[in-house]
Amino acid sequence: MIREYQTPDLDKIMQLWLEGNQQAHDFIDPEFFQQNYEFVKMLIPMSTIYVQDLNGVKGFIGLTENYISGLFVDKDFQRQGTGKALIDKAKQRFNELLVHVYKKNSAAIDFYLSQNFEIVSESINEETNEPELLLRCLVEHNVKIGKCAL
């Protein structure tokens, strides 16, 4: 079940954030994520967060308006539709989604491309000095109205 973030979710979300970053970004010094841990923990409640709750939080997506500031899934639940379900939730809210992905994170790039994102541009991340891609997904919201609807 995907639901909105609740305060008791914070510790699990931060665990997923830290483990996910260290797993996906082995080309960045793990100390970088440790140093940013408290800052991110402070920002989480200020973002729009949806969690995949399957007898506990197994993944989450963080949104700042239509920008995906984070998408993390427990390693035991990856490749089972959790990430797609969280992206689909974000697509329900916005006509356009944007996300930055490190160029060396090919698994994430492949995932976003499979979700109809397109690469828009490439730049260098100022904090890590690593190349990153900006991806965008344009979402069409087609509403079908039945014969009896007004």
Side-chain angles (χ1 to χ4, degrees), residues 116-135:
N116 299 315
F117 282 72
E118 297 177 338
I119 298 170
V120 176
S121 64
E122 183 175 339
S123 59
I124 300 294
N125 182 288
E126 293 179 14
E127 292 180 286
T128 61
N129 209 31
E130 287 286 337
E132 63 183 1
L133 302 174
L134 176 65
L135 291 95

Side-chain angles (χ1 to χ4, degrees), residues 63 65-66 89-97 139 141:
L63 299 162
E65 297 295 326
N66 67 325
K89 181 66 174 179
K91 286 179 177 180
Q92 290 173 5
R93 293 199 57 202
F94 298 101
N95 294 326
E96 177 187 52
L97 292 171
V139 182
H141 292 274

Side-chain angles (χ1 to χ4, degrees), residues 3 17 52 64-65 74 87 94 98 128-129 134 136 139:
R3 62 170 173 77
W17 177 85
Q52 176 69 285
T64 305
E65 297 295 326
D74 184 303
I87 290 288
F94 298 101
L98 299 166
T128 61
N129 209 31
L134 176 65
R136 177 179 65 197
V139 182

Side-chain angles (χ1 to χ4, degrees), residues 14-72:
M14 290 309 300
Q15 176 189 347
L16 291 172
W17 177 85
L18 185 60
E19 290 174 359
N21 271 311
Q22 291 174 339
Q23 174 191 351
H25 307 122
D26 59 354
F27 49 90
I28 296 174
D29 183 348
E31 187 62 28
F32 173 77
F33 301 110
Q34 290 287 352
Q35 290 172 349
N36 284 287
Y37 184 91
E38 290 301 323
F39 180 65
V40 171
K41 189 173 183 177
M42 180 189 72
L43 291 178
I44 290 285
M46 293 184 241
S47 303
T48 300
I49 307 287
Y50 294 102
V51 300
Q52 176 69 285
D53 188 343
L54 304 168
N55 294 318
V57 175
K58 305 303 182 201
F60 76 94
I61 188 168
L63 299 162
T64 305
E65 297 295 326
N66 67 325
Y67 181 80
I68 299 171
S69 46
L71 174 64
F72 294 92

